[in-house]
């Protein structure tokens, strides 16, 4: 071990790099410092220098903390760098260091406790872990803190053992030794310490001497933390029936230990979720928890918000854990439900009420069942009061200074939190509807509105409404409950709906009233006598001065049109006048909303009226396109043109009448008029991707909506898509191509063989152009194009499998996929991996898609044609080694987490198709990993395990092994090792 002076000298470059990271220097110097520190943390020299620096009392706390963090990483990932016979010395050094930092700093002490716990997991020859730690740290009053912290972190580090390089059986054995076997001694230790003065544990594990209950240790938060982390290992009855329960309950009276006691008690309760198994424990806990009920009012009286939140958390989580008992035994557990309601009712700061939301939902789930119908009746009054509580909490704050322009005194975070809370409280109101019925809940909204009218209506005038918060809140509650209300409700809505349309004008009240009406449009569709008044109220809101109210009006208008289209189809001309006059006054979202609404009405027209209506609404839009396109000389105007193009899409989505194939399609007739305008825009703005995406979206929607009726337009569409991609290299043209592949696939009704052949030729044209682009440009510059291309590939495999799999384009396409696996964009990687998995499926003996037998309602497997299977196998034999390298490298280094299942799925498919070859490719890839990144024993264990399971045909176990190996490798090496040596990717080249 080096001297402190030598360590400080060796550590000088590290200290300098740390100083650089923390100083205000340029980014390049910080990057260099970060890379240097990464290399240092992985180097063998770090062992000696970090321990020596930690032993140096005059080193800066920041440097010692970095040394402790580095040491934790070394023990976790690099223990194989040390000879096995030096581990006892490392253990002694850690125990000595812990004694030296007993008084702090706490972050360093915590890191060293974690170091010792991780060493204990891996040092399998160390059998008496707890005893030796207590012997070393439990005698000195100052070091008891370290001992308790070690006891606290040990279960956490053992359960995180998959980070450590131990085999599954070794880890299971070590878990048994460190946790299950030690549990009785830990329980005794915690009991003895809770009754001690907290000054010494010299005899606790040796003689088990009883200590007088002096109360000092009983309020130690670390004791409570230890109980919490050991709960899953200790017998729950041993805790509840021991003095430890008194310790936890009494700790709730101490400010020092309150938070830890709340978490500990909640953890104990969570362990009793299996109520039938834990009934005796619950019977012990229930009266102790109910005894906390007076503390709700006490915390409110003292204005102690933290204490109130803690008590609320206890009652809410207890309710969640015992919810089945609450439903099963309502008389016995009603006090608990009352306590949760009191917590929700007394929360004036909106900080604790959210803790109760899950409980109300969970209890509602049981009360809905017929089995608990009696309980629903007994809890109905509580849920009724809960509606009142929620409506009251929904009210906006009343500013003390009377300034209505800023209700939250400039605190935007608090305002956003309140808005979020309102929607969560709306969910609770939905739960109440399920329990006590929507009519009773709506009556409460109605009563609140009527109460406001009786008290304030006489003094209200537009824009100036006294006590408006009490009017807006029940309107919000009514809106929130709308989803639960049946269109056939006849008790409250016939009174409520007319009442809303007469409410005086105020920004927030009008907004909420309009949104509430928009929620009940399905009801309105069945009560047409109320439609006119509501529609007048909503259309009037478009002239409101508030932007929020206008936006709400547009949304409500959409709902009215979509749900009441049958009632409005006679007013197409009037709606067109409204649409034309309002469109340019609204923002983009609202323009889309009202466009969707009028499109829904047009869709209800008879066939012979669709074309003229389509033309009446869209001709002005197209004319605006032409005018805007002529003057779109800068980026702002081009984006405005793109936004305007988006308005065509709702018409194409909604206007989909059924037309016999032999008859002309009225919507396609108008699409033929629309197509030249879109083509001209695409040609004129080929260098502006945002506009091209909108054009392609329109074309794609035409195909998806009108399917084979688009056949007359196919030649023009294919030509525009091909020329557009060649000119712009934008993936949106491939995205639109995909829709043609899907809707005009082989065997589709009304698609003849000549058409399908032409479409496949069109696909080959697009694929060839794409491959040329991939050859010329690096993958990282084309992630979106690559994404769209492999979406197209997935579709062509599904709809034209035989032609695609026998195509000469197969080799370069799989090579392009392999090259693109170096990308970092998650969506693109997932699409490539999906394509590879789909391709592998055709290499099996059985065709991926069985034949459906309608007579027997069953699926019949069919064999893969020999020529196709041979082609696929040959393709993977030629490219499999590089694909294995790329996939494994991605799993170890660069793939986002969500890509790992599909990446391992590719390897699984390869093992199933080519087991021996894939085994060799995996072994070669692992052998090529950088020296020192994985020990030889681990390589041999992986390859040997794969070979063993391949022989047995256990390919899914091979997949799991590779996932575990790459996960462990990534934890040890990612972001700290430079390069992959001879595993570096090569650029894709296409000569076609």
């Amino acid at each position: 071990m080096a001297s402190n002076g030598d360590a400080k000298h060796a550590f000088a470059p590290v200290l300098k790099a740390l100083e650089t990271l923390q100083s205000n220097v340029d980014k390049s110097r910080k990057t260099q410092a970060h890379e240097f520190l990464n290399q240092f943390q992985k180097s063998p020299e770090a062992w000696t220098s970090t321990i020596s620096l930690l032993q140096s009392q005059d080193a800066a706390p920041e440097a010692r903390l970095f040394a402790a963090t580095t040491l934790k990483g070394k023990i976790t990932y690099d223990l194989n760098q040390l000879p096995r016979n030096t581990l006892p010395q490392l253990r002694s050094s850690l125990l000595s260091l812990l004694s030296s930092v007993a008084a702090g700093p706490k972050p360093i002490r915590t890191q060293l406790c974690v170091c010792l716990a991780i060493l204990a997991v891996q040092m399998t020859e160390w059998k008496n872990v707890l005893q030796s730690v207590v012997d070393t740290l439990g005698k000195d009053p100052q070091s008891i803190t370290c001992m308790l912290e070690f006891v606290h972190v040990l279960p956490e580090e053992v359960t995180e053992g998959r980070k450590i390089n131990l085999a599954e059986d070794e880890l299971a054995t070590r878990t048994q030794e460190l946790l299950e076997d030690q549990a009785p001694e830990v329980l005794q230790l915690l009991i003895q310490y809770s009754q001690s003065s907290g000054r010494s544990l010299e005899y606790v594990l040796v003689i088990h001497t009883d200590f007088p209950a002096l109360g000092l240790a009983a309020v130690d938060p670390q004791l409570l933390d230890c109980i919490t982390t050991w709960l899953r290992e200790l017998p729950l009855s041993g805790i509840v029936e021991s003095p430890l329960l008194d310790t936890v309950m009494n700790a709730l009276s101490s400010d020092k230990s309150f938070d830890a006691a709340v978490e500990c008690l909640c953890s104990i309760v969570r362990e009793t979720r299996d109520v039938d198994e834990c009934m005796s424990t619950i019977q012990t806990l229930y009266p102790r928890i109910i005894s906390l009920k007076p503390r709700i009012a006490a915390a409110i009286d003292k204005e102690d918000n933290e204490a109130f939140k803690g008590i609320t958390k206890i009652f809410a989580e207890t309710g969640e854990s015992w919810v089945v008992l609450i439903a099963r035994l309502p008389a016995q557990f009603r006090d608990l439900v009352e306590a949760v309601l009191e917590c929700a009712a007394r929360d004036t700061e909106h900080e604790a009420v959210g803790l109760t939301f899950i409980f109300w939902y969970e209890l509602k789930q049981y009360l809905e069942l017929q089995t608990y119908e009696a309980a629903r009746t007994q809890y109905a009054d509580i849920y009724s009061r809960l509606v009142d509580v929620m409506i009251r909490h929904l009210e906006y704050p009343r500013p003390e200074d009377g300034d209505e322009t800023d209700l939250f005194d400039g605190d935007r975070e608090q305002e956003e939190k309140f808005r979020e809370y309102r929607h969560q409280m709306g969910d609770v109101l939905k739960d109440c509807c399920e329990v006590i019925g929507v009519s009773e809940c709506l009556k409460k909204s109605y009563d609140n509105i009527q109460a406001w009218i009786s008290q304030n209506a006489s003094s209200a005038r537009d824009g100036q409404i006294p006590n408006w918060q009490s009017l807006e809140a029940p309107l919000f509650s009514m809106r929130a409950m709308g989803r639960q209300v049946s269109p056939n409700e006849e008790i409250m809505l016939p009174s409520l709906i007319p009442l809303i349309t007469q409410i005086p004008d105020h920004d927030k009240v009008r907004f909420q009233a309009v949104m509430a009406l928009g929620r009940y449009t399905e009801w309105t569709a069945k009560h047409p006598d109320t439609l006119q008044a509501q529609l007048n109220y909503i259309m009037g809101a478009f002239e409101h001065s508030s932007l929020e109210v206008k936006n709400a009006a547009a949304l409500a208008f959409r709902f009215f049109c979509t749900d009441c289209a049958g009632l409005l189809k006679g007013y197409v001309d009037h709606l067109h006048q409204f649409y034309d006059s309002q469109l340019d006054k609204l923002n983009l979202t609202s323009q889309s909303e009202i466009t969707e609404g009028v499109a829904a009405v047009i869709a209800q027209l008879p066939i012979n009226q669709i074309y003229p209506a389509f033309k009446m609404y869209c001709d002005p839009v197209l004319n605006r396109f032409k005018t805007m396109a002529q003057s779109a000389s800068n980026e702002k105007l081009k984006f405005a043109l793109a936004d305007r193009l988006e308005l065509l899409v709702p018409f194409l989505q909604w206007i989909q009448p059924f037309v016999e194939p032999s008859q002309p399609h009225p919507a396609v007739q108008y699409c033929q008029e629309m197509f030249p305008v879109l083509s001209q825009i695409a040609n004129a703005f080929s260098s502006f991707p945002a506009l091209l995406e909108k054009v392609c979206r329109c074309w794609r929607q035409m195909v998806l909506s009108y399917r084979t009726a688009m056949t007359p337009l196919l030649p023009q569409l294919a030509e525009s898509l091909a020329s557009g991609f060649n000119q712009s290299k934008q993936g949106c043209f491939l995205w639109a191509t995909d829709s043609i592949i899907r809707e005009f696939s082989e065997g589709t009704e009304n698609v003849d063989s000549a058409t399908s052949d032409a479409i496949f030729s069109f696909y080959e044209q697009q694929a060839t152009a794409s491959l040329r682009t991939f050859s010329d440009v690096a993958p990282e510059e084309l992630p979106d194009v690559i994404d769209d291309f492999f979406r197209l590939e997935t579709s062509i495999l599904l709809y034209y499998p035989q032609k695609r799999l026998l195509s000469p384009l197969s080799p370069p396409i799989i090579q392009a996929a392999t090259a693109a696996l170096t990308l970092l964009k998650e969506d693109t990687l997932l699409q490539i991996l999906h394509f590879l998995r789909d391709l592998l499926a055709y290499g099996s003996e059985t065709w991926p898609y069985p034949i459906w037998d309608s007579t027997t309602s069953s699926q019949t497997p069919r064999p893969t044609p020999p020529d196709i299977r041979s082609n696929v196998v040959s393709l993977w034999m030629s490219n499999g080694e590089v694909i294995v390298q790329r996939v494994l490298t991605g799993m170890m280094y660069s793939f986002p987490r969500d890509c790992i299942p599909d990446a391992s799925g590719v390897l699984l498919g390869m093992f199933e198709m080519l087991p021996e070859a894939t085994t060799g490719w995996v072994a070669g890839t692992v052998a090529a990993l950088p020296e020192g990144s994985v020990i030889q024993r681990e390589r041999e264990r992986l390859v040997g395990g794969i070979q063993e399971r391949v022989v047995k045909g256990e390919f899914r176990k091979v997949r799991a092994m590779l996932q575990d190996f790459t996960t462990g490798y990534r934890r040890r090496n990612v972001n700290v090792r430079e390069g992959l040596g001879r595993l570096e990717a090569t650029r894709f080249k296409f000569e076609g």
Side-chain angles (χ1 to χ4, degrees):
M1 195 71 71
S3 67
N4 286 347
D6 293 339
K8 290 173 67 177
H9 178 74
F11 217 74
V14 177
L15 295 176
K16 185 177 180 180
L18 280 172
E19 183 181 353
T20 300
L21 279 181
Q22 297 166 0
S23 61
N24 187 21
V25 298
D26 60 80
K27 184 178 179 180
S28 61
R29 289 181 60 188
K30 287 195 173 187
T31 301
Q32 291 175 357
H34 188 265
E35 291 174 353
F36 170 78
L37 292 173
N38 277 334
Q39 290 299 317
F40 165 76
Q41 287 182 314
K42 297 305 297 179
S43 67
E45 294 77 18
W47 286 105
T48 302
S49 53
T50 51
I51 291 177
S52 298
L53 188 73
L54 284 164
Q55 291 171 338
S56 174
Q57 296 301 314
D58 57 347
E62 295 82 2
R64 297 180 72 199
L65 179 59
F66 177 78
T69 303
T70 299
L71 185 59
K72 181 180 71 174
K74 299 295 293 180
I75 296 174
T76 303
Y77 302 122
D78 297 336
L79 202 62
N80 58 76
Q81 293 177 348
L82 297 178
R84 198 74 187 178
N85 58 10
T86 64
L87 297 189
Q89 182 185 358
L90 174 61
R91 177 183 60 194
S92 299
S93 298
L94 287 172
L95 289 168
S96 175
L97 287 169
L98 276 170
S99 297
S100 69
V101 297
K106 187 178 185 301
I108 297 175
R109 186 178 70 215
T110 300
Q111 292 293 334
L112 290 175
C113 285
V114 173
C115 287
L116 187 61
I118 297 171
L119 178 64
V121 177
Q122 298 187 79
M123 192 175 172
T124 53
E125 60 270 28
W126 185 12
K127 300 299 182 183
N128 60 336
V129 173
L130 190 62
Q131 181 70 61
S132 59
V133 171
V134 172
D135 287 346
T136 306
L137 303 175
K139 299 177 182 180
D140 183 355
Q142 289 189 340
S143 60
I144 286 179
T145 299
C146 296
M147 185 274 297
L148 283 175
E149 190 154 9
F150 172 78
V151 174
H152 170 211
V153 302
L154 181 62
E156 296 174 345
E157 298 308 316
V158 173
T159 54
E160 290 292 322
R162 292 186 69 82
K163 293 182 179 179
I164 298 170
N165 190 25
L166 285 179
E168 289 292 333
D169 54 343
E170 293 175 321
L171 182 59
T173 300
R174 198 60 178 151
T175 301
Q176 171 81 28
E177 294 172 349
L178 292 176
L179 299 184
E180 296 177 36
D181 294 348
Q182 296 288 324
E185 290 187 355
V186 170
L187 179 59
Q188 187 63 30
L189 168 69
L190 297 178
I191 292 172
Q192 294 289 343
Y193 180 67
S194 71
Q195 298 176 317
S196 75
S197 64
R199 296 174 182 170
S200 174
L201 286 175
E202 183 174 358
Y203 305 109
V204 167
L205 291 181
V206 181
I207 307 177
H208 300 305
T209 302
D210 289 331
F211 287 88
L214 300 181
L216 296 179
V219 293
D220 186 347
Q222 284 193 308
L223 169 64
L224 298 164
D225 291 341
C226 289
I227 298 173
T228 301
T229 57
W230 276 87
L231 270 174
R232 292 190 177 182
E233 316 305 329
L234 300 175
L236 192 59
S237 59
I239 295 175
V240 173
E241 296 170 7
S242 75
L244 289 179
L245 180 58
D246 288 331
T247 298
V248 175
M249 299 302 297
N250 293 335
L252 291 168
S253 301
S254 167
D255 291 342
K256 175 184 176 183
S257 58
F258 179 79
D259 290 341
V262 168
E263 185 57 41
C264 185
L265 183 56
C266 289
S267 298
I268 291 173
V269 170
R270 282 194 290 267
E271 291 299 312
T272 64
R273 282 182 177 272
D274 189 346
V275 294
D276 293 319
E277 292 289 329
C278 301
M279 198 61 200
S280 61
T281 302
I282 291 172
Q283 289 171 342
T284 302
L285 287 172
Y286 183 60
R288 304 297 298 270
I289 291 174
I290 289 299
S291 70
L292 299 173
K293 193 174 178 182
R295 296 199 182 189
I296 301 172
I300 292 297
D301 293 341
K302 294 179 181 178
E303 297 184 354
D304 189 342
N305 290 335
E306 294 304 313
F308 179 70
K309 285 167 63 178
I311 297 299
T312 300
K313 181 177 181 180
I314 291 172
F315 283 120
E317 294 210 13
T318 302
E320 292 171 33
S321 298
W322 300 346
V323 65
V324 65
L325 282 180
I326 293 172
R328 191 185 296 168
L329 303 169
Q332 291 89 327
F333 285 90
R334 183 183 173 89
D335 284 347
L336 179 56
V337 184
E338 292 273 11
V340 180
L341 179 65
E342 183 180 353
C343 290
R346 286 181 174 270
D347 182 19
T348 58
E349 301 297 324
H350 296 152
E351 292 185 355
V353 64
L355 299 173
T356 70
F357 292 162
I358 295 177
F359 166 70
W360 299 119
Y361 171 77
E362 295 283 353
L363 181 57
K364 180 267 298 187
Q365 292 287 84
Y366 281 95
L367 297 182
E368 282 185 299
L369 302 176
Q370 188 174 359
T371 305
Y372 302 110
E373 186 174 354
R376 182 165 68 248
T377 302
Q378 294 192 45
Y379 288 129
D381 66 310
I382 291 181
Y383 271 88
S384 179
R385 283 183 281 156
L386 181 61
V387 176
D388 297 326
V389 169
M390 291 297 113
I391 292 178
R392 190 176 72 252
H393 281 318
L394 287 173
E395 293 185 12
Y396 272 96
R398 292 168 171 79
E400 295 179 2
D401 59 2
D403 182 8
E404 296 281 351
T405 59
D406 192 350
L407 301 175
F408 296 89
D409 296 326
D411 190 340
R412 299 282 78 84
E413 182 180 349
Q414 187 66 25
E415 182 177 2
E416 185 59 34
K417 183 179 178 181
F418 177 72
R419 290 177 185 273
E420 181 182 346
Y421 252 155
R422 293 187 104 204
H423 289 288
Q424 291 173 350
M425 287 187 276
D427 291 336
V428 176
L429 288 171
K430 295 185 184 74
D431 297 335
C432 295
C433 289
E434 298 287 349
V435 177
I436 64 176
V438 293
S439 295
E440 183 172 341
C441 292
L442 286 173
K443 186 176 186 304
K444 290 182 176 292
S445 300
Y446 178 81
D447 290 343
N448 276 273
I449 295 173
Q450 287 285 27
W452 181 91
I453 291 173
S454 64
Q455 297 170 15
N456 301 284
S458 60
S459 57
R461 62 182 185 276
D462 283 352
Q464 299 293 324
I465 299 183
N467 197 25
W468 62 265
Q469 291 90 342
S470 297
L471 177 59
E472 190 270 352
L475 288 172
F476 183 95
S477 71
M478 179 185 170
R479 167 189 164 197
M481 295 183 286
R483 185 181 300 175
Q484 309 303 117
V485 181
S486 166
N488 299 313
E489 207 280 338
E490 298 289 350
I491 299 174
M492 293 308 306
L493 288 182
S495 301
L496 259 171
I497 295 297
L499 184 63
I500 292 175
T501 60
Q502 301 171 30
I503 284 176
D505 192 27
H506 177 280
D507 289 1
K508 288 192 173 352
V509 174
R510 184 66 176 268
F511 171 85
Q512 216 54 256
V514 168
M515 293 294 284
L517 292 178
R519 178 67 79 173
Y520 290 89
T521 50
E522 291 184 7
W523 182 88
T524 302
K526 292 195 172 185
H527 299 79
D529 55 305
T530 67
L531 175 62
Q532 189 65 56
Q534 293 184 67
L535 209 53
N536 290 341
Y537 186 78
I538 288 170
M539 286 183 164
F542 281 93
E543 304 301 330
H544 202 279
S545 59
S546 168
L547 178 61
E548 278 196 342
V549 173
K550 289 181 179 179
N551 293 341
L555 182 61
F557 179 83
R558 173 168 71 88
F559 289 140
F560 267 96
C561 289
T562 54
D563 291 334
C564 306
L567 302 176
L568 294 171
K569 63 184 179 181
Y571 301 92
V572 170
D573 292 338
H574 296 291
L575 288 175
H576 174 254
Q577 294 173 6
F578 168 78
Y579 178 73
D580 197 50
S581 65
Q582 293 293 331
L583 189 63
D584 291 330
K585 299 178 183 179
L586 303 173
N587 61 28
L588 294 175
T589 302
S590 295
Q591 287 179 356
S592 179
E593 301 282 8
I594 67 169
T595 300
E596 186 172 341
V598 296
V601 175
I602 296 173
Q604 294 296 315
L605 295 174
I607 294 291
N608 62 342
Q609 296 180 25
I610 284 182
Y611 170 75
F614 205 158
K615 185 175 179 65
M616 176 175 66
Y617 275 83
C618 288
D619 269 357
V621 178
L622 287 176
N623 291 333
R624 286 190 181 100
F625 294 159
K626 296 175 185 178
T627 304
M628 293 175 69
Q630 291 171 0
S631 59
S633 56
N634 57 48
E635 190 173 273
K636 182 180 179 180
L637 293 174
K638 291 176 183 177
F639 274 116
L641 178 58
D643 293 333
R644 181 67 67 166
L645 269 173
E646 184 78 13
L647 296 180
L648 291 176
V649 177
F651 288 107
L652 298 170
Q653 289 175 329
W654 277 93
I655 304 174
Q656 298 184 35
F658 173 76
V659 181
E660 292 291 342
S662 59
Q663 300 298 317
H665 198 294
V668 174
Q669 184 181 353
Y670 188 72
C671 288
Q672 290 173 312
E673 298 179 16
M674 189 190 306
F675 190 86
V677 178
L678 297 177
S679 295
Q680 290 171 11
I681 292 175
N683 292 332
F685 298 94
S686 60
S687 61
F688 198 70
L691 235 166
L692 296 177
E693 287 178 10
K694 304 298 184 184
V695 172
C696 287
R697 187 178 181 193
C698 289
W699 286 339
R700 175 182 171 86
Q701 193 59 54
M702 289 179 189
V703 175
L704 295 178
S705 294
Y706 310 126
R707 310 183 72 176
T708 54
M710 282 288 292
T711 302
L713 265 174
L714 275 186
Q716 296 169 261
L717 181 56
E719 182 181 351
S720 295
L721 291 174
S723 62
F725 181 74
N726 285 327
Q727 189 174 0
S728 69
K729 310 301 181 190
Q730 292 298 314
C732 56
F733 291 96
L734 302 178
W735 179 56
T737 300
D738 175 78
S739 64
I740 298 177
I741 300 298
R742 289 170 176 264
E743 299 300 336
F744 290 84
S745 60
E746 285 185 306
T748 299
E749 188 178 0
N750 302 318
V751 177
D752 56 35
S753 59
T755 301
S756 62
D757 289 344
I759 287 173
F760 187 78
S761 298
F762 168 54
Y763 151 75
E764 289 186 311
Q765 180 183 355
Q766 294 288 71
T768 302
S770 301
L771 293 171
R772 289 188 182 126
T773 301
F774 300 156
S775 180
D776 296 337
V777 185
E780 55 271 16
E781 297 179 28
L782 296 168
D784 294 332
V785 180
I786 293 172
D787 188 330
D788 288 319
F789 175 75
F790 284 103
R791 288 181 191 276
L792 176 62
E793 281 300 309
T794 301
S795 293
I796 203 73
L797 276 176
L798 178 61
Y799 296 109
Y800 287 82
Q802 295 187 332
K803 291 180 179 178
R804 167 60 183 81
L805 293 169
L806 297 176
S807 169
L809 291 175
S810 291
I813 287 174
I814 199 171
Q815 291 162 17
T818 306
L821 287 172
T822 57
L823 290 169
L824 300 178
K825 188 173 180 181
E826 182 177 311
D827 289 343
T828 304
L829 284 171
L830 284 172
Q831 198 56 52
I832 296 169
L833 294 168
H834 291 167
F835 161 72
L836 292 174
R837 296 188 71 178
D838 289 348
L839 184 60
L840 279 164
Y842 292 96
S844 66
E845 295 181 357
T846 304
W847 192 253
Y849 307 103
I851 300 172
W852 173 255
D853 188 342
S854 58
T855 58
T856 61
S857 297
S858 62
Q859 294 178 331
T860 304
R862 53 174 169 165
T864 302
D867 55 341
I868 289 180
R869 184 162 185 256
S870 174
N871 266 24
V872 174
V873 171
S874 175
L875 194 63
W876 284 89
M877 283 298 297
S878 302
N879 298 276
E881 182 174 9
V882 181
I883 292 175
V884 167
Q885 289 181 359
R886 294 275 58 76
V887 171
L888 272 180
T889 301
M891 291 172 69
M892 289 185 286
Y893 284 88
S894 61
F895 284 173
R897 178 180 300 177
D898 288 345
C899 293
I900 301 301
D902 282 303
S904 63
V906 171
L907 297 175
L908 170 64
M910 294 182 68
F911 272 106
E912 290 174 338
M913 185 172 68
L914 301 167
E916 294 181 2
T918 307
T919 302
W921 295 331
V922 170
T925 302
V926 173
L929 292 170
E931 184 178 353
S933 62
V934 58
I935 59 175
Q936 184 61 29
R937 180 166 64 90
E938 189 177 1
R939 283 192 179 97
E940 293 172 354
R941 186 171 65 197
L942 173 69
V943 176
I946 289 174
Q947 291 172 337
E948 178 183 345
R949 285 163 177 77
V950 165
V951 170
K952 296 178 180 179
E954 298 174 340
F955 299 119
R956 294 194 176 275
K957 291 185 178 180
V958 174
R959 179 188 192 179
M961 287 182 64
L962 287 171
Q963 282 185 308
D964 290 344
F965 172 79
T966 54
T967 300
Y969 184 93
R970 189 166 188 160
R971 285 172 175 158
R972 293 193 301 272
N973 299 283
V974 75
N975 295 331
V976 294
R977 304 282 185 184
E978 287 188 2
L980 292 178
R982 55 198 173 100
L983 295 183
E984 291 290 346
T986 57
R987 279 285 305 278
F988 164 71
K989 289 294 181 183
F990 176 59
E991 304 297 338

